Amino acid sequence: MCMKNGMGRGEGMYRKIKRVIDTVVSFLGLVILSWVFLILVIAIKIDSRGPILFKQKRVGIGKSYFYIYKFRTMRTDTPGDVPTHLLENPEQYITKVGKFLRKTSLDELPQIMNILKGDMAIVGPRPALWNQYDLIAERDKYGANAILPGLTGWAQINGRDELEIEEKARLDGEYVKRMSFFFDLKCIVKTVTSVWNHEGVVEGGTGTLHEQEKDQD
């Protein structure tokens, strides 16, 4: 039997434990990866003008707002609050170091600070942009807006940028139902292999691969 917002009793209990795990792991992550942060900071500064970090308004738990942190991968003249897939020729805005960071997903590392702050979890639905109303509405159908967004998630490892919005929201809802320690562990392991193999990354964003296939027909 489910509780409100699609959370069962077991999931509710695990959510409390999950927050403790996220806090400890994110703190250790910042300490252990500090040398990686330093190298990337230097590379970004040498490569292009602008701030090291990129902050963007995203949707958090309960559709509240927070600012997500990423290493800056695009030029400072890139239009703000526009998903990459809605930009005309997004490649023109991505810096040289930015291409490497995006390909390896290292641009996401600063989100460890979001996790430590409590804005995000290690595993959960990827936080939508504040103006991605279609994705937010679809997630409402599955209770996926009722939990903390994650650094990685079930949808991320099952298609990532290739997924249409409806499918992405459905997978986020599936995560809500299956959320547990071992399921989170499975997501983390699969994330590592997906990043290593560069799976599901299509420059242009959600559903781009599907659109490209339609154009070829």
Side-chain angles (χ1 to χ4, degrees):
M1 185 174 180
C2 292
M3 300 171 68
K4 287 184 178 181
N5 297 325
M7 295 294 295
R9 292 179 181 177
E11 288 86 347
M13 185 177 296
Y14 174 64
R15 184 162 64 170
K16 295 177 182 178
I17 300 172
K18 178 182 171 78
R19 179 60 201 147
V20 175
I21 295 172
D22 287 342
T23 302
V24 173
V25 173
S26 59
F27 176 76
L28 292 175
L30 281 175
V31 174
I32 295 170
L33 297 174
S34 58
W35 64 275
V36 178
F37 274 76
L38 180 59
I39 292 173
L40 295 179
V41 165
I42 294 171
I44 292 168
K45 292 302 291 183
I46 292 174
D47 182 48
S48 62
R49 291 184 178 183
I52 295 164
L53 292 179
F54 169 70
K55 295 197 302 181
Q56 192 175 55
K57 190 177 179 181
R58 296 289 183 115
V59 178
I61 187 171
K63 291 188 284 189
S64 59
Y65 296 127
F66 73 99
Y67 282 91
I68 198 172
Y69 302 127
K70 290 188 177 189
F71 280 125
R72 181 176 58 83
T73 61
M74 307 186 89
R75 302 196 323 246
T76 54
D77 61 341
T78 305
D81 287 331
V82 179
T84 305
H85 68 283
L86 294 181
L87 290 172
E88 185 176 348
N89 188 19
E91 287 284 345
Q92 67 177 312
Y93 296 106
I94 302 173
T95 64
K96 293 178 181 178
V97 171
K99 288 181 181 180
F100 169 75
L101 293 176
R102 284 172 167 246
K103 186 176 182 180
T104 57
S105 295
L106 287 172
D107 60 315
E108 312 283 0
L109 275 184
Q111 286 161 50
I112 294 175
M113 293 184 287
N114 285 118
I115 297 171
L116 191 59
K117 285 174 60 182
D119 297 326
M120 295 173 60
I122 295 174
V123 184
R126 282 297 293 164
L129 277 167
W130 66 273
N131 55 1
Q132 286 183 294
Y133 305 117
D134 45 0
L135 177 58
I136 297 167
E138 280 296 315
R139 283 177 170 172
D140 264 340
K141 299 176 182 179
Y142 301 99
N145 291 316
I147 63 173
L148 282 172
L151 177 63
T152 187
W154 188 233
Q156 282 289 101
I157 58 179
N158 282 283
R160 198 172 175 175
D161 295 336
E162 297 175 5
L163 295 175
E164 299 290 345
I165 285 172
E166 293 81 4
E167 179 63 9
K168 182 178 289 188
R170 187 192 67 77
L171 287 168
D172 289 333
E174 186 178 334
Y175 171 75
V176 174
K177 291 181 180 179
R178 299 177 63 182
M179 186 169 59
S180 68
F181 175 77
F182 290 107
F183 193 57
D184 277 1
L185 196 60
K186 179 179 180 179
C187 289
I188 292 169
V189 171
K190 289 198 68 176
T191 296
V192 173
T193 57
S194 294
V195 170
W196 182 263
N197 295 319
H198 310 303
E199 294 174 354
V201 182
V202 180
E203 199 57 68
T206 303
T208 299
L209 186 63
H210 180 63
E211 293 300 322
Q212 290 174 350
E213 289 173 345
K214 286 199 297 185
D215 291 341
Q216 293 172 359
D217 290 341

